[in-house]
Amino acid sequence: MENNTFPQYFNLTMFVKLGNYRYLAFVLCLLLYAFIIFSNLVIIVLISREITLHEPMYIFIMCLSINSLYGSAGFFFRFLRDLLSDTHLISRTACFAQIYVIYTYASYEMTLLGIMAYDRYVAICQPLNYHNKITSKAVSKLVAFAWTYPCFSIATCVYLSFRLPLCGNKIPKVFCANWPVVKLSCVSTVINNLVGMVALITTVFLPLAFVMFTYIRIILICRKRSSEFKSKVVQNCLPHIVTFVIYSSTVFCDVALSRIDLEALNPFLAIILALEFVVIPPMVNPLVYGLKLAEIRKCVLKVFLRSEPVKTN
């Protein structure tokens, strides 16, 4: 096998020539990344320090924020550097490392949203059994599964892609992605496609179907209950629903974007559609939970206003 079938560098071709505007773009993106770090760190620190927030729902929210920091780091460190560079070559090793980080981030997000839906389902539909089912041990197992399974499934996909002999090195994105690399293959990719489909179904579609199932059950329960009960359910579930809808929409856009001819799109539109997958969820999640959940909002106000500790029932 010739060495040129395993290129040492990939070329990210979606970057457009911004001229002197690249410095403005760099500053804006740097500020955006700083906001993502700050807002998610606030959520993590508050939940870890406030005893009143040491409950399953808040632990899952903290895991989402940790995942946001993980995924955004895998993207922004390289992206900010490329904004100031005239060339957009990335080494083979760095490219596959970025693929692994971004894809595990995406999978973690969906599996975490799935177990959060289960938590809300038990709390609303089986309230008398909630503390028996959602114990500290159960939370630990659910979080461990949400992190462990995607870790190995994505590693398998990336390993199979890494072994493929390639007939090119151009990736039409602003970050490395698995499907564009697989499309460069000089040989059959049947195994890659099968393994990728299994990983996609188990880490995206199954959690997606489970979330939809839990909320259908919750809606059916709410139909028979009082207006006050419905109001409490909406207050508790709305942040999760908003997060889930936003993330599902960005994933859909990214999948659709990888299946179309990007050269036919306006380059700025193509970049925006590519960026939303790794930018919007980490930016929006802490805002949604920080503004919508009363306990987190109280703790934020307590920290910034330096008030006395807030007592909760």
Side-chain angles (χ1 to χ4, degrees):
M1 191 72 66
E2 296 182 4
N3 289 334
N4 60 4
T5 60
F6 294 95
Q8 295 304 305
Y9 292 90
F10 289 99
N11 186 14
L12 302 175
T13 62
M14 194 183 286
F15 284 94
V16 296
K17 294 182 179 180
L18 297 175
N20 291 331
Y21 288 106
R22 63 183 176 178
Y23 300 106
L24 175 61
F26 175 83
V27 172
L28 292 176
C29 290
L30 182 61
L31 290 175
L32 176 62
Y33 184 40
F35 174 78
I36 289 173
I37 293 176
F38 173 76
S39 57
N40 282 283
L41 279 178
V42 167
I43 296 293
I44 293 170
V45 172
L46 283 177
I47 294 176
S48 61
R49 294 186 60 180
E50 293 292 330
I51 297 177
T52 57
L53 300 181
H54 290 182
E55 298 179 5
M57 178 174 65
Y58 299 110
I59 297 300
F60 297 144
I61 292 172
M62 182 174 69
C63 290
L64 277 182
S65 289
I66 293 173
N67 189 47
S68 293
L69 293 178
Y70 167 72
S72 58
F75 167 72
F76 273 101
F77 284 161
R78 177 72 201 191
F79 179 71
L80 290 172
R81 172 185 170 185
D82 281 332
L83 280 177
L84 298 179
S85 177
D86 293 325
T87 60
H88 306 104
L89 297 178
I90 180 171
S91 70
R92 180 182 178 86
T93 302
C95 185
F96 281 102
Q98 187 178 55
I99 291 174
Y100 180 78
V101 172
I102 290 179
Y103 278 62
T104 48
Y105 148 75
S107 300
Y108 294 153
E109 192 84 1
M110 189 58 79
T111 52
L112 286 170
L113 289 172
I115 63 175
M116 289 175 73
Y118 173 70
D119 173 73
R120 293 299 83 203
Y121 167 75
V122 176
I124 294 168
C125 300
Q126 302 175 12
L128 298 179
N129 295 323
Y130 180 79
H131 293 291
N132 293 328
K133 288 189 173 183
I134 311 297
T135 61
S136 298
K137 187 175 181 179
V139 169
S140 299
K141 289 182 178 179
L142 287 170
V143 171
F145 175 77
W147 290 94
T148 304
Y149 177 73
C151 176
F152 289 102
S153 61
I154 299 302
T156 303
C157 293
V158 173
Y159 173 72
L160 291 174
S161 298
F162 187 81
R163 294 183 59 194
L164 287 175
L166 306 178
C167 292
N169 72 334
K170 294 183 178 181
I171 299 177
K173 291 182 78 72
V174 292
F175 59 88
C176 287
N178 192 59
W179 179 243
V181 172
V182 172
K183 289 197 294 185
L184 295 173
S185 175
C186 301
V187 298
S188 173
T189 59
V190 173
I191 295 178
N192 296 72
N193 295 337
L194 289 175
V195 173
M197 185 61 66
V198 171
L200 184 66
I201 290 173
T202 54
T203 60
V204 176
F205 289 116
L206 284 182
L208 175 66
F210 180 73
V211 172
M212 295 178 66
F213 167 77
T214 57
Y215 276 102
I216 289 173
R217 293 295 303 273
I218 290 173
I219 291 171
L220 292 176
I221 291 291
C222 288
R223 289 178 59 188
K224 304 175 182 179
R225 305 299 289 272
S226 65
S227 298
E228 182 181 357
F229 179 83
K230 293 177 183 178
S231 177
K232 290 182 179 179
V233 169
V234 170
Q235 182 180 359
N236 288 329
C237 294
L238 185 60
H240 182 265
I241 294 174
V242 171
T243 302
F244 176 74
V245 170
I246 290 173
Y247 182 70
S248 299
S249 301
T250 58
V251 169
F252 174 79
C253 288
D254 184 73
V255 172
L257 192 65
S258 66
R259 298 300 191 271
I260 64 177
D261 182 11
L262 295 175
E263 294 181 354
L265 289 178
N266 180 288
F268 289 99
L269 176 61
I271 290 176
I272 290 173
L273 291 175
L275 288 178
E276 65 175 0
F277 168 61
V278 288
V279 172
I280 292 180
M283 178 179 64
V284 172
N285 287 356
L287 290 177
V288 170
Y289 288 109
L291 295 176
K292 290 295 182 182
L293 290 180
E295 294 302 320
I296 293 181
R297 190 165 63 248
K298 289 178 183 178
C299 290
V300 170
L301 291 174
K302 183 183 74 173
V303 170
F304 285 98
L305 298 179
R306 296 182 179 180
S307 61
E308 292 297 324
V310 177
K311 294 182 179 181
T312 58
N313 294 326

